[in-house]
Amino acid sequence: MKLAERMSRLGTETAFEVLAKARALEAQGREIVHLEIGEPDFDTPKHIIEAACQALHSGYTHYTPSAGIPELRQAIADEISRTRDIPVEMDNVVVTPGAKPIMFYVILALAEPGDEVIYPNPGFPIYESMINFTGAKAVPIPLREEYGFAFDLDEFRKLVTDKTRLIVINSPHNPTGGILPKETLAEIARIAIERDIMVLADEIYDSIMYEGEFHSITAVPGMQERTVILNGFSKTYAMTGWRLGYGVMPKDFAVHITRLMTNSNSCTNAATQMAGIAALKGPQDDVLRMVAAFQERRDVIVAGLNEIPGVSCIMPKGAFYAFPNITATGMKSRALADYLLNEAGVATLSGTSFGAYGEGYLRLSYANSIANINKALAWMDRAIRGL
Ligand SMILES: Cc1ncc(COP(=O)(O)O)c(C=O)c1O
């Protein structure tokens, strides 16, 4: 079969491959602790599930408008307006099956051969994959451990050129748990405005923060007009399998993103959208409970990792990932991740699954029980001491 040339430029998300390998080992009778997949281990709060069931029983079994059910778009607009202190209307919102399509559509709609797109590296692998897919040039901005996995602004300024079309940022950040300080956001905003560049702000972990306040680049005057906020329900409400996300963007751009929705999905699952309304408008206690649990696990995993010889880990400020530096083990990231899976029974991801600048690190998702985290730490410790 002859594939279109662009397919050779499409990347992937390694987490799903490691999960498959880990499951294959389990099928052979091995016990594996899963720290590879980035999803809350909690079930979706009950009142959200009830809302979806009720929606199905009351006839939400049909197509909806491509951009989403108006009541959900309005609830999202209200939420984003309240939490970012910016004016957002329903027409700024496009609802999608998961947040990932926003990444896909925005990069597809803006980038083309000859353009440059700056993206965080290490970073969510789909940014680089999609930029390459469009034929634009993917320009990595390295995230540096010494800056708490934010980036050096001098280095950033040097990467911006007349060809820069889009800047992708993600804070709180996957895979490092780092946060971009308010001053960094202000400088990115200043450059984006001066040079007429769009920003894709992946804010999917906005509710999962352990210190400081969440800052959105859209709060900087002049930025709402040139920013697409990517957000969704997967992480905050433990709804990864439901597939519900959204983008908040300038109204004229929302028209085009809606056209991409019409061409690809028609609309997002109707009952899932009704569940989203219940999530936003209902009690938020479960979210607070989950974040408190993640914080407790973060403290356990970071302390444990720092006890392992050759491993050091700074304290992540948000999301649910630890990103330990493993250079002193003497092993490369990929080899160590494979060794830990095969020898220790601990599934982790190589830092390089998130780009070349992830070399020297592993990503561990601590969305798992304290008992499993402690087990994984003990098994890793033993395996690494045995190197
Ligand atoms: C930074 C980041 N953005 C977007 C997504 C995609 O979220 P969704 O599952 O809603 O498509 C993820 C999921 O892992 C993520 O980590």
Side-chain angles (χ1 to χ4, degrees):
M1 191 194 337
K2 185 179 177 305
L3 290 178
E5 186 272 332
R6 71 177 79 87
M7 289 304 289
S8 67
R9 290 183 264 120
L10 197 62
T12 189
E13 211 184 325
T14 325
F16 292 101
E17 287 165 17
V18 175
L19 178 67
K21 268 199 227 167
R23 293 260 185 262
L25 289 172
E26 284 171 324
Q28 293 166 17
R30 290 278 308 277
E31 190 187 352
I32 305 289
V33 181
H34 290 271
L35 302 182
E36 76 279 42
I37 278 279
E39 67 170 342
D41 54 326
F42 299 105
D43 289 332
T44 304
K46 285 216 163 43
H47 69 279
I48 300 176
I49 296 178
E50 284 305 323
C53 294
Q54 217 177 341
L56 284 171
H57 285 301
S58 55
Y60 281 90
T61 55
H62 300 272
Y63 290 128
T64 77
S66 289
I69 294 173
E71 194 188 346
L72 174 60
R73 292 172 76 203
Q74 189 58 54
I76 292 167
D78 293 345
E79 172 73 7
I80 294 296
S81 180
R82 183 181 67 76
T83 49
R84 275 79 175 158
D85 200 17
I86 51 171
V88 183
E89 292 174 17
M90 191 180 94
D91 290 345
N92 296 111
V93 179
V94 181
V95 177
T96 47
K100 234 181 198 175
I102 291 294
M103 220 173 274
F104 197 99
Y105 297 156
V106 169
I107 295 172
L108 200 59
L110 293 177
E112 59 190 347
D115 291 337
E116 294 178 1
V117 180
I118 298 178
Y119 71 102
N121 190 324
F124 192 59
I126 304 305
Y127 308 139
E128 188 182 276
S129 166
M130 273 309 297
I131 299 163
N132 288 333
F133 191 62
T134 64
K137 183 176 170 201
V139 180
I141 172 74
L143 300 188
R144 306 277 182 202
E145 187 178 351
E146 59 268 37
Y147 295 106
F149 292 116
F151 45 80
D152 177 345
L153 280 172
D154 284 334
E155 201 169 1
F156 174 72
R157 283 185 207 99
K158 287 188 196 129
L159 295 177
V160 180
T161 73
D162 291 343
K163 293 181 182 155
T164 309
R165 180 84 178 97
L166 177 69
I167 299 167
V168 180
I169 55 174
N170 173 215
S171 178
H173 180 250
N174 175 10
T176 67
I179 283 173
L180 294 178
K182 206 175 170 188
E183 306 73 52
T184 303
L185 294 176
E187 180 61 4
I188 299 169
R190 190 190 64 74
I191 292 171
I193 292 168
E194 186 182 281
R195 307 192 66 148
D196 192 20
I197 301 169
M198 290 284 290
V199 170
L200 173 60
D202 185 337
E203 300 182 349
I204 198 150
Y205 295 100
D206 60 350
S207 303
I208 306 175
M209 279 186 60
Y210 312 110
E211 50 194 89
E213 255 174 76
F214 171 74
H215 295 291
S216 172
I217 198 164
T218 53
V220 180
M223 279 312 289
Q224 203 185 341
E225 297 86 313
R226 57 181 60 257
T227 305
V228 177
I229 296 175
L230 174 154
N231 209 332
F233 295 75
S234 297
K235 317 287 173 175
T236 306
Y237 297 101
M239 291 177 71
T240 46
W242 294 70
R243 310 313 299 138
L244 186 62
Y246 58 87
V248 176
M249 62 201 86
K251 289 179 190 172
D252 52 350
F253 191 53
V255 171
H256 298 294
I257 298 302
T258 304
R259 288 168 59 216
L260 283 165
M261 259 303 280
T262 307
N263 273 269
S264 52
N265 284 292
S266 295
C267 66
T268 303
N269 178 304
T272 293
Q273 292 190 59
M274 295 308 284
I277 298 172
L280 289 175
K281 293 191 172 173
Q284 303 296 307
D285 323 17
D286 289 310
V287 178
L288 299 176
R289 190 175 49 77
M290 290 189 273
V291 174
F294 289 144
Q295 181 160 5
E296 194 186 338
R297 296 156 178 200
R298 174 193 73 153
D299 295 346
V300 170
I301 202 164
V302 171
L305 286 168
N306 282 313
E307 293 292 315
I308 301 176
V311 178
S312 65
C313 186
I314 65 169
M315 192 58 95
K317 298 192 176 101
F320 36 67
Y321 308 108
F323 203 62
N325 186 322
I326 52 86
T327 43
T329 62
M331 281 186 88
K332 292 277 193 191
S333 301
R334 182 65 199 266
L336 185 60
D338 286 345
Y339 173 73
L340 290 175
L341 177 60
N342 294 319
E343 301 301 320
V346 181
T348 65
L349 295 183
S350 163
T352 50
S353 297
F354 300 89
Y357 291 94
E359 183 55 80
Y361 298 89
L362 290 181
R363 189 195 80 169
L364 287 75
S365 163
Y366 50 84
N368 206 325
S369 67
I370 299 260
N372 279 340
I373 289 170
N374 277 326
K375 199 187 277 184
L377 287 167
W379 292 356
M380 284 174 67
D381 186 81
R382 197 168 52 211
I384 290 178
R385 281 178 199 275
L387 277 176

